[in-house]
Amino acid sequence: MKKLISYIFPIYNEYGNIDHLYKTMKELLNQNNKYDYEMIFVNDGSQDNSLEKLLQLQKVDERVTVINFARNFGHQVAVTAGLDHVNGDAVIIMDSDMQDPPHVSFDLVKKWEEGYDVVYAQRRSRRDSILKRITANVFYRLLDKLADVDIPRNTGDFRLLDRRVVKQLNKFREHNRFLRGLVSYVGFKQTGVLFDRDKRLSGKTGYPLKRMVKFAIDGLLGFSWTPIRLITKLGYFISLLSFIGIIYAIAMKFLRPDVTVPGWTFIVISILFIGGIQLVTLGVLGNYIGRIYTESQNRPLYIIENVYRSNKSRKG
Ligand code: UDP
Ligand code: MG
Protein backbone atom coordinates (compact mmCIF):
# COMPACT_ATOMS: atom_id res chain seq x y z
CA MET A 1 0.00 0.00 0.00
CA LYS A 2 1.18 3.52 -0.75
CA LYS A 3 2.19 5.73 2.15
CA LEU A 4 -0.34 8.35 3.17
CA ILE A 5 0.38 12.06 3.39
CA SER A 6 -2.08 14.16 5.38
CA TYR A 7 -2.53 17.90 4.90
CA ILE A 8 -4.02 20.02 7.65
CA PHE A 9 -5.68 23.31 6.70
CA PRO A 10 -7.04 25.53 9.49
CA ILE A 11 -9.86 27.64 8.12
CA TYR A 12 -11.12 30.88 9.59
CA ASN A 13 -13.15 33.00 7.17
CA GLU A 14 -11.33 31.76 4.09
CA TYR A 15 -14.32 31.63 1.72
CA GLY A 16 -12.42 33.54 -0.95
CA ASN A 17 -9.41 31.22 -0.80
CA ILE A 18 -10.80 27.71 -0.49
CA ASP A 19 -11.59 27.12 -4.17
CA HIS A 20 -8.22 28.29 -5.31
CA LEU A 21 -6.44 26.36 -2.58
CA TYR A 22 -8.30 23.16 -3.38
CA LYS A 23 -7.74 23.48 -7.11
CA THR A 24 -4.02 24.08 -6.65
CA MET A 25 -3.76 21.19 -4.21
CA LYS A 26 -5.67 18.84 -6.47
CA GLU A 27 -3.45 19.57 -9.47
CA LEU A 28 -0.38 19.14 -7.34
CA LEU A 29 -1.49 15.86 -5.81
CA ASN A 30 -2.59 14.41 -9.14
CA GLN A 31 0.89 15.05 -10.52
CA ASN A 32 2.51 13.17 -7.67
CA ASN A 33 0.98 9.74 -7.40
CA LYS A 34 3.75 8.18 -5.39
CA TYR A 35 1.62 8.64 -2.27
CA ASP A 36 -2.00 8.59 -1.15
CA TYR A 37 -3.32 11.85 0.25
CA GLU A 38 -5.88 13.20 2.61
CA MET A 39 -6.79 16.81 3.22
CA ILE A 40 -8.15 17.75 6.62
CA PHE A 41 -9.89 21.10 6.77
CA VAL A 42 -10.60 22.37 10.26
CA ASN A 43 -13.31 25.00 10.15
CA ASP A 44 -12.52 27.16 13.16
CA GLY A 45 -15.91 28.83 13.61
CA SER A 46 -15.82 30.81 10.37
CA GLN A 47 -18.53 33.44 10.11
CA ASP A 48 -18.59 33.42 6.32
CA ASN A 49 -19.67 30.54 4.08
CA SER A 50 -16.41 28.62 4.38
CA LEU A 51 -18.19 25.59 5.85
CA GLU A 52 -20.67 25.23 2.95
CA LYS A 53 -17.80 25.51 0.53
CA LEU A 54 -15.82 22.84 2.39
CA LEU A 55 -18.78 20.46 2.59
CA GLN A 56 -19.26 20.74 -1.17
CA LEU A 57 -15.65 19.62 -1.64
CA GLN A 58 -16.04 16.85 0.90
CA LYS A 59 -19.04 15.43 -0.99
CA VAL A 60 -17.15 15.05 -4.25
CA ASP A 61 -13.69 14.16 -2.98
CA GLU A 62 -13.21 11.30 -0.55
CA ARG A 63 -9.74 12.57 0.29
CA VAL A 64 -11.33 15.58 1.99
CA THR A 65 -12.28 15.51 5.67
CA VAL A 66 -13.96 18.48 7.32
CA ILE A 67 -13.77 18.97 11.08
CA ASN A 68 -16.24 21.62 12.09
CA PHE A 69 -15.67 23.41 15.40
CA ALA A 70 -18.65 24.56 17.44
CA ARG A 71 -17.05 28.02 17.63
CA ASN A 72 -13.78 29.80 17.04
CA PHE A 73 -10.99 28.28 19.15
CA GLY A 74 -8.02 29.86 17.42
CA HIS A 75 -5.47 28.77 14.89
CA GLN A 76 -3.19 26.73 17.17
CA VAL A 77 -6.10 24.72 18.52
CA ALA A 78 -7.50 24.17 15.02
CA VAL A 79 -4.17 22.70 13.94
CA THR A 80 -4.17 20.56 17.08
CA ALA A 81 -7.59 19.13 16.20
CA GLY A 82 -6.21 18.34 12.76
CA LEU A 83 -3.26 16.53 14.34
CA ASP A 84 -5.66 14.53 16.51
CA HIS A 85 -7.52 13.31 13.42
CA VAL A 86 -4.81 12.57 10.85
CA ASN A 87 -3.85 9.11 9.69
CA GLY A 88 -0.86 9.97 7.55
CA ASP A 89 2.66 8.62 7.65
CA ALA A 90 3.63 12.23 7.23
CA VAL A 91 1.55 15.27 8.12
CA ILE A 92 1.86 18.69 6.53
CA ILE A 93 0.49 21.77 8.27
CA MET A 94 -0.27 24.72 6.00
CA ASP A 95 -2.10 28.05 6.09
CA SER A 96 -5.16 28.17 3.88
CA ASP A 97 -4.73 31.66 2.45
CA MET A 98 -2.12 30.67 -0.16
CA GLN A 99 0.64 32.35 1.88
CA ASP A 100 2.29 28.97 2.15
CA PRO A 101 2.71 27.89 -1.48
CA PRO A 102 1.39 24.31 -1.87
CA HIS A 103 4.22 23.22 -4.19
CA VAL A 104 6.72 23.83 -1.39
CA SER A 105 5.11 20.98 0.53
CA PHE A 106 6.82 18.59 -1.87
CA ASP A 107 10.20 20.06 -1.00
CA LEU A 108 9.32 19.12 2.56
CA VAL A 109 8.36 15.61 1.48
CA LYS A 110 11.74 15.20 -0.26
CA LYS A 111 13.56 15.94 2.99
CA TRP A 112 11.28 13.52 4.81
CA GLU A 113 12.27 10.84 2.31
CA GLU A 114 15.89 11.58 3.21
CA GLY A 115 15.05 10.57 6.76
CA TYR A 116 14.13 13.78 8.59
CA ASP A 117 11.21 13.63 11.03
CA VAL A 118 10.44 17.34 11.15
CA VAL A 119 10.89 19.57 8.12
CA TYR A 120 9.95 23.17 8.69
CA ALA A 121 9.51 25.65 5.88
CA GLN A 122 11.66 28.66 6.61
CA ARG A 123 10.80 32.05 5.09
CA ARG A 124 13.52 33.42 2.88
CA SER A 125 11.30 36.44 2.28
CA ARG A 126 7.82 37.47 3.27
CA ARG A 127 5.33 39.84 1.78
CA ASP A 128 3.42 41.08 4.78
CA SER A 129 2.75 44.57 6.08
CA ILE A 130 5.62 46.57 7.62
CA LEU A 131 3.96 46.29 11.03
CA LYS A 132 3.79 42.52 10.80
CA ARG A 133 7.38 42.23 9.63
CA ILE A 134 8.71 44.45 12.41
CA THR A 135 6.69 42.82 15.19
CA ALA A 136 7.60 39.37 13.91
CA ASN A 137 11.27 40.31 13.88
CA VAL A 138 11.24 41.66 17.43
CA PHE A 139 9.31 38.63 18.61
CA TYR A 140 11.66 36.07 17.11
CA ARG A 141 14.70 37.84 18.51
CA LEU A 142 13.14 37.96 21.95
CA LEU A 143 12.11 34.35 21.75
CA ASP A 144 15.60 33.36 20.67
CA LYS A 145 17.03 35.07 23.74
CA LEU A 146 14.50 33.95 26.30
CA ALA A 147 13.09 30.58 25.34
CA ASP A 148 14.48 27.43 26.90
CA VAL A 149 14.12 25.52 23.63
CA ASP A 150 15.68 26.45 20.31
CA ILE A 151 12.90 27.60 18.04
CA PRO A 152 14.12 28.18 14.48
CA ARG A 153 13.77 31.77 13.26
CA ASN A 154 11.39 32.76 10.51
CA THR A 155 9.31 29.66 10.61
CA GLY A 156 5.56 29.56 10.94
CA ASP A 157 3.54 26.44 11.41
CA PHE A 158 4.12 25.43 7.78
CA ARG A 159 5.98 22.17 8.29
CA LEU A 160 6.01 18.44 7.79
CA LEU A 161 5.87 16.06 10.72
CA ASP A 162 6.50 12.36 10.66
CA ARG A 163 3.78 10.31 12.30
CA ARG A 164 6.14 9.46 15.16
CA VAL A 165 6.41 13.16 15.97
CA VAL A 166 2.65 13.65 15.70
CA LYS A 167 2.14 10.81 18.13
CA GLN A 168 4.40 12.51 20.68
CA LEU A 169 2.96 15.96 20.01
CA ASN A 170 -0.55 14.71 20.67
CA LYS A 171 0.44 13.96 24.24
CA PHE A 172 0.85 17.67 24.95
CA ARG A 173 -2.57 18.95 25.95
CA GLU A 174 -1.64 22.39 27.31
CA HIS A 175 -4.14 25.11 26.57
CA ASN A 176 -2.14 28.18 25.68
CA ARG A 177 -0.49 26.46 22.79
CA PHE A 178 2.56 27.46 20.87
CA LEU A 179 2.93 24.56 18.51
CA ARG A 180 6.24 25.43 16.94
CA GLY A 181 7.75 25.53 20.42
CA LEU A 182 6.32 22.11 21.18
CA VAL A 183 7.69 20.72 17.94
CA SER A 184 11.16 21.96 18.87
CA TYR A 185 10.68 20.53 22.35
CA VAL A 186 9.95 16.96 21.21
CA GLY A 187 13.18 16.80 19.24
CA PHE A 188 13.79 14.08 16.61
CA LYS A 189 15.71 14.82 13.42
CA GLN A 190 14.75 18.30 12.30
CA THR A 191 15.72 20.39 9.32
CA GLY A 192 14.51 23.41 7.35
CA VAL A 193 13.69 24.20 3.74
CA LEU A 194 13.79 27.79 2.48
CA PHE A 195 10.82 29.28 0.66
CA ASP A 196 9.37 32.65 -0.35
CA ARG A 197 6.20 33.46 1.48
CA ASP A 198 3.41 34.85 -0.68
CA LYS A 199 0.77 37.46 0.00
CA ARG A 200 -2.60 36.43 1.39
CA LEU A 201 -4.79 35.70 -1.66
CA SER A 202 -8.11 37.01 -0.43
CA GLY A 203 -9.78 38.11 2.80
CA LYS A 204 -8.00 39.53 5.81
CA THR A 205 -5.74 38.21 8.51
CA GLY A 206 -7.18 36.26 11.44
CA TYR A 207 -4.26 37.52 13.53
CA PRO A 208 -4.91 41.18 14.32
CA LEU A 209 -2.45 42.89 16.69
CA LYS A 210 -4.25 41.80 19.86
CA ARG A 211 -4.10 38.12 18.88
CA MET A 212 -0.51 38.46 17.78
CA VAL A 213 0.42 39.82 21.21
CA LYS A 214 -1.42 36.95 22.93
CA PHE A 215 0.36 34.49 20.65
CA ALA A 216 3.74 36.07 21.38
CA ILE A 217 3.07 35.86 25.13
CA ASP A 218 2.07 32.20 24.78
CA GLY A 219 5.37 31.57 23.05
CA LEU A 220 7.44 33.42 25.62
CA LEU A 221 5.76 32.30 28.83
CA GLY A 222 5.12 28.77 27.62
CA PHE A 223 8.78 28.18 26.96
CA SER A 224 10.61 30.45 29.33
CA TRP A 225 11.01 31.17 33.02
CA THR A 226 13.00 34.27 32.22
CA PRO A 227 10.23 36.79 32.99
CA ILE A 228 9.86 35.33 36.48
CA ARG A 229 13.61 35.26 36.97
CA LEU A 230 13.76 38.88 35.80
CA ILE A 231 11.34 39.84 38.55
CA THR A 232 13.74 38.57 41.16
CA LYS A 233 16.61 40.47 39.59
CA LEU A 234 14.46 43.57 39.42
CA GLY A 235 13.61 43.08 43.09
CA TYR A 236 17.31 42.97 44.02
CA PHE A 237 18.00 46.06 41.98
CA ILE A 238 15.14 48.03 43.53
CA SER A 239 16.17 46.91 47.00
CA LEU A 240 19.67 48.22 46.33
CA LEU A 241 18.26 51.57 45.22
CA SER A 242 16.02 51.70 48.28
CA PHE A 243 19.01 50.96 50.51
CA ILE A 244 20.98 53.84 48.98
CA GLY A 245 17.88 56.04 49.36
CA ILE A 246 17.57 55.13 53.04
CA ILE A 247 21.23 55.91 53.76
CA TYR A 248 20.78 59.21 51.95
CA ALA A 249 17.66 60.06 53.94
CA ILE A 250 19.29 59.24 57.28
CA ALA A 251 22.45 61.11 56.41
CA MET A 252 20.43 64.16 55.40
CA LYS A 253 18.46 64.03 58.63
CA PHE A 254 21.59 64.25 60.73
CA LEU A 255 23.85 66.35 58.53
CA ARG A 256 21.34 68.84 57.07
CA PRO A 257 18.30 68.91 59.38
CA ASP A 258 17.36 72.33 57.98
CA VAL A 259 16.43 70.94 54.53
CA THR A 260 14.92 67.57 55.38
CA VAL A 261 11.32 68.71 55.81
CA PRO A 262 10.62 69.36 52.14
CA GLY A 263 11.30 65.68 51.31
CA TRP A 264 7.87 65.40 49.81
CA THR A 265 9.04 65.05 46.19
CA PHE A 266 11.35 62.24 47.09
CA ILE A 267 8.64 60.33 48.92
CA VAL A 268 6.11 60.69 46.16
CA ILE A 269 8.56 59.65 43.48
CA SER A 270 9.72 56.61 45.39
CA ILE A 271 6.18 55.52 46.19
CA LEU A 272 5.13 55.85 42.58
CA PHE A 273 8.21 54.10 41.38
CA ILE A 274 7.88 51.15 43.71
CA GLY A 275 4.15 51.02 43.00
CA GLY A 276 4.82 50.79 39.28
CA ILE A 277 7.37 48.06 39.68
CA GLN A 278 5.02 46.13 41.93
CA LEU A 279 2.25 46.28 39.40
CA VAL A 280 4.46 45.06 36.59
CA THR A 281 5.70 42.29 38.82
CA LEU A 282 2.19 41.29 39.80
CA GLY A 283 1.23 41.29 36.13
CA VAL A 284 3.99 38.87 35.22
CA LEU A 285 3.14 36.61 38.15
CA GLY A 286 -0.52 36.86 37.28
CA ASN A 287 0.24 35.73 33.77
CA TYR A 288 1.81 32.53 35.00
CA ILE A 289 -0.90 32.01 37.61
CA GLY A 290 -3.57 32.49 34.95
CA ARG A 291 -1.96 29.70 33.02
CA ILE A 292 -2.00 27.45 36.07
CA TYR A 293 -5.69 28.27 36.49
CA THR A 294 -6.50 27.40 32.91
CA GLU A 295 -4.60 24.14 33.13
CA SER A 296 -6.21 23.17 36.43
CA GLN A 297 -9.67 23.63 34.93
CA ASN A 298 -8.60 21.01 32.43
CA ARG A 299 -11.32 21.82 29.93
CA PRO A 300 -11.29 20.13 26.55
CA LEU A 301 -9.15 22.01 24.06
CA TYR A 302 -11.92 22.31 21.52
CA ILE A 303 -15.51 21.32 20.84
CA ILE A 304 -16.33 19.65 17.55
CA GLU A 305 -19.77 20.11 16.04
CA ASN A 306 -19.19 17.31 13.56
CA VAL A 307 -16.56 15.49 11.55
CA TYR A 308 -17.50 15.07 7.91
CA ARG A 309 -15.47 12.20 6.53
CA SER A 310 -15.98 9.73 3.69
CA ASN A 311 -16.27 6.14 4.93
CA LYS A 312 -13.88 5.26 2.14
CA SER A 313 -11.16 7.43 3.67
CA ARG A 314 -8.15 5.52 4.87
CA LYS A 315 -7.62 4.73 8.48
CA GLY A 316 -3.90 4.76 9.25
N1 UDP B 1 -6.94 30.72 11.45
C1 UDP B 1 -7.73 29.89 12.24
N2 UDP B 1 -8.35 30.41 13.35
C2 UDP B 1 -8.20 31.71 13.72
C3 UDP B 1 -7.36 32.54 12.93
C4 UDP B 1 -6.73 32.02 11.81
O1 UDP B 1 -7.90 28.71 11.93
O2 UDP B 1 -8.79 32.10 14.72
C5 UDP B 1 -6.28 30.16 10.24
C6 UDP B 1 -6.47 30.94 8.96
O3 UDP B 1 -7.63 30.55 8.27
C7 UDP B 1 -5.20 30.60 8.17
C8 UDP B 1 -4.17 30.41 9.27
O4 UDP B 1 -4.90 30.17 10.47
O5 UDP B 1 -5.33 29.40 7.45
C9 UDP B 1 -3.27 31.60 9.44
O6 UDP B 1 -4.04 32.76 9.73
P1 UDP B 1 -3.82 34.14 9.01
O7 UDP B 1 -3.46 33.96 7.58
O8 UDP B 1 -5.03 34.96 9.27
O9 UDP B 1 -2.59 34.70 9.83
P2 UDP B 1 -1.32 35.50 9.25
O10 UDP B 1 -0.84 34.77 8.02
O11 UDP B 1 -1.83 36.86 8.95
O12 UDP B 1 -0.36 35.45 10.38
MG1 MG C 1 -1.96 34.38 6.43
PDB file of all heavy atoms in Angstrom, residues 238-253:
ATOM      1  N   ILE A 238      15.942  47.016  42.839  1.00  0.00           N
ATOM      2  CA  ILE A 238      15.139  48.032  43.527  1.00  0.00           C
ATOM      3  C   ILE A 238      15.525  48.097  45.011  1.00  0.00           C
ATOM      4  O   ILE A 238      15.628  49.171  45.588  1.00  0.00           O
ATOM      5  CB  ILE A 238      13.633  47.709  43.388  1.00  0.00           C
ATOM      6  CG1 ILE A 238      13.230  47.752  41.920  1.00  0.00           C
ATOM      7  CG2 ILE A 238      12.788  48.680  44.203  1.00  0.00           C
ATOM      8  CD1 ILE A 238      13.377  49.088  41.284  1.00  0.00           C
ATOM      9  N   SER A 239      15.778  46.928  45.593  1.00  0.00           N
ATOM     10  CA  SER A 239      16.172  46.910  47.004  1.00  0.00           C
ATOM     11  C   SER A 239      17.470  47.684  47.200  1.00  0.00           C
ATOM     12  O   SER A 239      17.628  48.436  48.160  1.00  0.00           O
ATOM     13  CB  SER A 239      16.372  45.477  47.498  1.00  0.00           C
ATOM     14  OG  SER A 239      15.245  44.720  47.188  1.00  0.00           O
ATOM     15  N   LEU A 240      18.392  47.504  46.276  1.00  0.00           N
ATOM     16  CA  LEU A 240      19.669  48.217  46.335  1.00  0.00           C
ATOM     17  C   LEU A 240      19.428  49.723  46.297  1.00  0.00           C
ATOM     18  O   LEU A 240      19.953  50.480  47.118  1.00  0.00           O
ATOM     19  CB  LEU A 240      20.552  47.779  45.169  1.00  0.00           C
ATOM     20  CG  LEU A 240      21.944  48.414  45.137  1.00  0.00           C
ATOM     21  CD1 LEU A 240      22.805  47.813  46.248  1.00  0.00           C
ATOM     22  CD2 LEU A 240      22.607  48.221  43.790  1.00  0.00           C
ATOM     23  N   LEU A 241      18.582  50.143  45.331  1.00  0.00           N
ATOM     24  CA  LEU A 241      18.265  51.566  45.217  1.00  0.00           C
ATOM     25  C   LEU A 241      17.638  52.077  46.511  1.00  0.00           C
ATOM     26  O   LEU A 241      17.995  53.156  47.003  1.00  0.00           O
ATOM     27  CB  LEU A 241      17.294  51.806  44.050  1.00  0.00           C
ATOM     28  CG  LEU A 241      17.878  51.774  42.644  1.00  0.00           C
ATOM     29  CD1 LEU A 241      16.835  52.212  41.637  1.00  0.00           C
ATOM     30  CD2 LEU A 241      19.104  52.672  42.561  1.00  0.00           C
ATOM     31  N   SER A 242      16.700  51.281  47.051  1.00  0.00           N
ATOM     32  CA  SER A 242      16.025  51.701  48.281  1.00  0.00           C
ATOM     33  C   SER A 242      17.034  51.863  49.403  1.00  0.00           C
ATOM     34  O   SER A 242      16.967  52.814  50.184  1.00  0.00           O
ATOM     35  CB  SER A 242      14.977  50.666  48.698  1.00  0.00           C
ATOM     36  OG  SER A 242      14.161  50.349  47.615  1.00  0.00           O
ATOM     37  N   PHE A 243      17.988  50.934  49.474  1.00  0.00           N
ATOM     38  CA  PHE A 243      19.007  50.964  50.514  1.00  0.00           C
ATOM     39  C   PHE A 243      19.814  52.262  50.425  1.00  0.00           C
ATOM     40  O   PHE A 243      20.002  52.966  51.419  1.00  0.00           O
ATOM     41  CB  PHE A 243      19.918  49.747  50.348  1.00  0.00           C
ATOM     42  CG  PHE A 243      20.912  49.594  51.444  1.00  0.00           C
ATOM     43  CD1 PHE A 243      20.485  49.302  52.748  1.00  0.00           C
ATOM     44  CD2 PHE A 243      22.275  49.739  51.205  1.00  0.00           C
ATOM     45  CE1 PHE A 243      21.412  49.168  53.781  1.00  0.00           C
ATOM     46  CE2 PHE A 243      23.201  49.613  52.222  1.00  0.00           C
ATOM     47  CZ  PHE A 243      22.768  49.322  53.516  1.00  0.00           C
ATOM     48  N   ILE A 244      20.237  52.586  49.190  1.00  0.00           N
ATOM     49  CA  ILE A 244      20.978  53.838  48.982  1.00  0.00           C
ATOM     50  C   ILE A 244      20.104  55.023  49.407  1.00  0.00           C
ATOM     51  O   ILE A 244      20.561  55.953  50.080  1.00  0.00           O
ATOM     52  CB  ILE A 244      21.396  53.980  47.495  1.00  0.00           C
ATOM     53  CG1 ILE A 244      22.377  52.855  47.145  1.00  0.00           C
ATOM     54  CG2 ILE A 244      22.012  55.345  47.227  1.00  0.00           C
ATOM     55  CD1 ILE A 244      22.721  52.778  45.676  1.00  0.00           C
ATOM     56  N   GLY A 245      18.827  54.968  49.023  1.00  0.00           N
ATOM     57  CA  GLY A 245      17.883  56.038  49.362  1.00  0.00           C
ATOM     58  C   GLY A 245      17.763  56.210  50.880  1.00  0.00           C
ATOM     59  O   GLY A 245      17.762  57.336  51.394  1.00  0.00           O
ATOM     60  N   ILE A 246      17.722  55.071  51.578  1.00  0.00           N
ATOM     61  CA  ILE A 246      17.573  55.128  53.036  1.00  0.00           C
ATOM     62  C   ILE A 246      18.803  55.774  53.684  1.00  0.00           C
ATOM     63  O   ILE A 246      18.691  56.659  54.533  1.00  0.00           O
ATOM     64  CB  ILE A 246      17.363  53.704  53.601  1.00  0.00           C
ATOM     65  CG1 ILE A 246      15.972  53.217  53.188  1.00  0.00           C
ATOM     66  CG2 ILE A 246      17.489  53.688  55.121  1.00  0.00           C
ATOM     67  CD1 ILE A 246      15.741  51.745  53.386  1.00  0.00           C
ATOM     68  N   ILE A 247      19.977  55.330  53.238  1.00  0.00           N
ATOM     69  CA  ILE A 247      21.229  55.910  53.758  1.00  0.00           C
ATOM     70  C   ILE A 247      21.227  57.424  53.536  1.00  0.00           C
ATOM     71  O   ILE A 247      21.548  58.211  54.431  1.00  0.00           O
ATOM     72  CB  ILE A 247      22.444  55.303  53.020  1.00  0.00           C
ATOM     73  CG1 ILE A 247      22.410  53.794  53.178  1.00  0.00           C
ATOM     74  CG2 ILE A 247      23.740  55.950  53.513  1.00  0.00           C
ATOM     75  CD1 ILE A 247      23.575  53.169  53.853  1.00  0.00           C
ATOM     76  N   TYR A 248      20.815  57.785  52.304  1.00  0.00           N
ATOM     77  CA  TYR A 248      20.783  59.213  51.946  1.00  0.00           C
ATOM     78  C   TYR A 248      19.837  59.958  52.894  1.00  0.00           C
ATOM     79  O   TYR A 248      20.183  61.002  53.451  1.00  0.00           O
ATOM     80  CB  TYR A 248      20.329  59.348  50.496  1.00  0.00           C
ATOM     81  CG  TYR A 248      20.031  60.759  50.059  1.00  0.00           C
ATOM     82  CD1 TYR A 248      21.071  61.652  49.743  1.00  0.00           C
ATOM     83  CD2 TYR A 248      18.725  61.215  49.936  1.00  0.00           C
ATOM     84  CE1 TYR A 248      20.802  62.944  49.344  1.00  0.00           C
ATOM     85  CE2 TYR A 248      18.437  62.503  49.536  1.00  0.00           C
ATOM     86  CZ  TYR A 248      19.483  63.370  49.244  1.00  0.00           C
ATOM     87  OH  TYR A 248      19.206  64.641  48.845  1.00  0.00           O
ATOM     88  N   ALA A 249      18.660  59.402  53.113  1.00  0.00           N
ATOM     89  CA  ALA A 249      17.660  60.065  53.943  1.00  0.00           C
ATOM     90  C   ALA A 249      18.162  60.244  55.373  1.00  0.00           C
ATOM     91  O   ALA A 249      18.020  61.314  55.972  1.00  0.00           O
ATOM     92  CB  ALA A 249      16.363  59.249  53.939  1.00  0.00           C
ATOM     93  N   ILE A 250      18.788  59.171  55.903  1.00  0.00           N
ATOM     94  CA  ILE A 250      19.290  59.244  57.283  1.00  0.00           C
ATOM     95  C   ILE A 250      20.423  60.259  57.393  1.00  0.00           C
ATOM     96  O   ILE A 250      20.454  61.100  58.294  1.00  0.00           O
ATOM     97  CB  ILE A 250      19.770  57.856  57.762  1.00  0.00           C
ATOM     98  CG1 ILE A 250      18.562  56.919  57.855  1.00  0.00           C
ATOM     99  CG2 ILE A 250      20.452  57.948  59.126  1.00  0.00           C
ATOM    100  CD1 ILE A 250      18.902  55.477  58.137  1.00  0.00           C
ATOM    101  N   ALA A 251      21.319  60.191  56.405  1.00  0.00           N
ATOM    102  CA  ALA A 251      22.452  61.112  56.405  1.00  0.00           C
ATOM    103  C   ALA A 251      21.950  62.557  56.378  1.00  0.00           C
ATOM    104  O   ALA A 251      22.423  63.415  57.139  1.00  0.00           O
ATOM    105  CB  ALA A 251      23.349  60.833  55.203  1.00  0.00           C
ATOM    106  N   MET A 252      20.969  62.812  55.521  1.00  0.00           N
ATOM    107  CA  MET A 252      20.425  64.161  55.403  1.00  0.00           C
ATOM    108  C   MET A 252      19.807  64.613  56.722  1.00  0.00           C
ATOM    109  O   MET A 252      19.930  65.776  57.117  1.00  0.00           O
ATOM    110  CB  MET A 252      19.358  64.221  54.302  1.00  0.00           C
ATOM    111  CG  MET A 252      19.915  64.175  52.895  1.00  0.00           C
ATOM    112  SD  MET A 252      21.024  65.536  52.552  1.00  0.00           S
ATOM    113  CE  MET A 252      19.852  66.758  51.984  1.00  0.00           C
ATOM    114  N   LYS A 253      19.138  63.673  57.383  1.00  0.00           N
ATOM    115  CA  LYS A 253      18.455  64.032  58.627  1.00  0.00           C
ATOM    116  C   LYS A 253      19.447  64.537  59.678  1.00  0.00           C
ATOM    117  O   LYS A 253      19.181  65.497  60.398  1.00  0.00           O
ATOM    118  CB  LYS A 253      17.680  62.820  59.150  1.00  0.00           C
ATOM    119  CG  LYS A 253      16.775  63.149  60.346  1.00  0.00           C
ATOM    120  CD  LYS A 253      15.869  61.978  60.641  1.00  0.00           C
ATOM    121  CE  LYS A 253      15.238  62.114  62.023  1.00  0.00           C
ATOM    122  NZ  LYS A 253      14.399  63.301  62.155  1.00  0.00           N
TER     123      LYS A 253
END
